């Protein structure tokens, strides 16, 4: 069993019924869930975009509200995927014992983890689509390039869902997630160019910023929303893929050690 904890995840289509189960449960509170996920980025967009935007008209020739919107959608994807992979997944694993019930069916733990990751990514994209709709109403992102943002948002959601499941495997209670949000996600927002250019940071912080998954997401999404093309697409996708694959593997190993040993 010790060696099997570190084996590569075993993928199968058995994750689909688990994903469907989570979707059916979510449908009962879909409206409240979507509104809750878009409320914070929407408030940020309006308050900072129009409030601070009245003082800071543009950044590098880009209207500030456009600059902010193209970064805040990545932030909202990160937060939505993280909340689902942390609080909701922990509830199903530890409090409601849903995972225990699933494990009594012909399912493997790897199927459950994969379903949780893909469901968290799916839920984050649903929120992202709602935010895109608000952006369109504000006249932001009205380009054909914006269509390419949707698959990118799903990959970004997968990445932060995978990282969230790592924390979920380590958590002993809900309080643990406060540290994850406060010490990891919140600093990442301010280091990833969501609110202002990374070039304003000290050189050593700029170096750290280039290695963060949220920075890579912003580098990919912002040019597309603004009607252009990413300048460093290959390296940014490599960073996101590394965090996604590495995070999912680590989450699988840690969850196996917690539940199977």
């Amino acid at each position: 069993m010790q060696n099997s904890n570190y084996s590569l995840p075993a993928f199968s289509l058995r994750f689909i019924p688990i994903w469907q189960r989570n979707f059916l449960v979510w449908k009962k509170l879909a409206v409240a869930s979507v509104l809750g996920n878009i409320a914070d980025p929407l408030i940020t967009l309006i308050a900072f975009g129009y409030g601070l935007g009245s003082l800071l008209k543009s950044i590098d020739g880009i209207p500030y509200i456009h600059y902010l919107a193209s970064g805040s959608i990545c932030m909202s994807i990160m937060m939505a995927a993280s909340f689902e992979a942390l609080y909701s997944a922990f509830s199903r694993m530890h409090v409601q014992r849903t995972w225990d019930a699933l494990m009594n069916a012909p399912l493997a733990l790897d199927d459950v983890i994969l379903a949780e990751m893909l469901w968290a990514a799916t839920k984050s994209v649903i929120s992202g689509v709602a935010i895109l709709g608000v952006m369109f109403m504000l006249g932001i992102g009205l380009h054909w390039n914006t269509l390419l943002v949707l698959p990118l948002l799903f990959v970004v959601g997968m990445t932060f869902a995978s990282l969230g499941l790592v924390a979920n495997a380590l958590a002993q209670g809900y309080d643990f997630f406060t540290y994850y949000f406060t010490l990891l996600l919140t600093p990442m927002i301010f280091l990833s160019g969501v609110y202002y250019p990374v070039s304003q940071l000290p050189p050593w912080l700029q170096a750290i910023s280039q290695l963060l998954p949220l920075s890579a997401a912003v580098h990919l999404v912002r040019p597309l929303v603004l009607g252009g093309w990413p300048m460093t697409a290959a390296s940014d996708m490599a960073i996101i893929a590394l965090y996604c694959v590495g995070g999912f593997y680590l989450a699988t190993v840690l969850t196996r050690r917690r539940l199977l040993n």
Side-chain angles (χ1 to χ4, degrees):
M1 180 64 67
Q2 187 69 23
N3 291 333
S4 65
N5 285 342
Y6 297 95
S7 61
L8 293 177
F11 299 108
S12 75
L13 295 180
R14 290 175 297 182
F15 78 89
I16 295 177
I18 307 172
W19 183 97
Q20 290 175 327
R21 180 262 173 203
N22 291 343
F23 174 73
L24 291 173
V25 172
W26 171 80
K27 278 180 61 179
K28 299 177 181 179
L29 299 171
V31 175
S33 176
V34 172
L35 290 177
N37 284 332
I38 69 172
D40 186 62
L42 183 59
I43 292 171
T44 299
L45 182 61
I46 294 175
F48 282 83
Y50 288 106
L52 185 58
S54 63
L55 302 175
L56 180 62
K57 297 296 183 181
S58 64
I59 293 180
D60 297 330
I62 304 168
Y64 183 68
I65 191 170
H66 290 231
Y67 183 92
L68 177 63
S70 55
S72 63
I73 190 172
C74 297
M75 176 186 70
S76 67
I77 291 293
M78 177 186 76
M79 299 300 285
S82 298
F83 268 106
E84 185 65 24
L86 294 170
Y87 290 98
S88 298
F90 185 81
S91 295
R92 289 188 285 268
M93 177 187 72
H94 187 69
V95 180
Q96 300 170 354
R97 298 291 184 180
T98 303
W99 288 21
D100 289 346
L102 291 171
M103 294 297 291
N104 286 322
L107 297 168
L109 181 60
D110 292 10
D111 299 319
V112 178
I113 300 170
L114 177 61
E116 290 287 349
M117 185 268 283
L118 293 177
W119 166 242
T122 303
K123 189 176 177 182
S124 70
V125 170
I126 293 172
S127 300
V129 170
I131 295 172
L132 277 176
V134 174
M135 290 168 54
F136 291 157
M137 289 189 291
L138 296 175
I140 303 171
L142 299 177
H143 312 283
W144 286 109
N145 294 21
T146 307
L147 294 177
L148 297 176
V149 169
L150 292 176
L152 277 176
L153 293 182
F154 186 76
V155 175
V156 173
M158 289 174 57
T159 300
F160 285 102
S162 297
L163 297 175
L165 288 171
V166 173
N168 177 64
L170 296 172
Q172 297 301 316
Y174 291 112
D175 291 342
F176 179 85
F177 301 139
T178 302
Y179 299 106
Y180 183 79
F181 279 96
T182 302
L183 300 178
L184 292 178
L185 298 189
T186 299
M188 194 183 304
I189 292 172
F190 292 105
L191 293 175
S192 299
V194 173
Y195 295 108
Y196 47 79
V198 176
S199 58
Q200 302 299 313
L201 299 173
W204 65 276
L205 282 179
Q206 292 184 41
I208 294 175
S209 174
Q210 298 305 313
L211 301 176
L212 299 177
L214 184 59
S215 291
V218 171
H219 292 162
L220 290 167
V221 171
R222 175 169 283 145
L224 294 174
V225 171
L226 299 177
W229 299 98
M231 298 295 294
T232 56
S235 59
D236 292 327
M237 284 301 301
I239 291 173
I240 290 176
L242 180 62
Y243 277 99
C244 184
V245 174
F248 183 76
Y249 174 72
L250 183 57
T252 302
V253 170
L254 293 176
T255 307
R256 286 170 178 166
R257 291 179 61 183
R258 176 168 183 166
L259 298 183
L260 299 182
N261 290 344

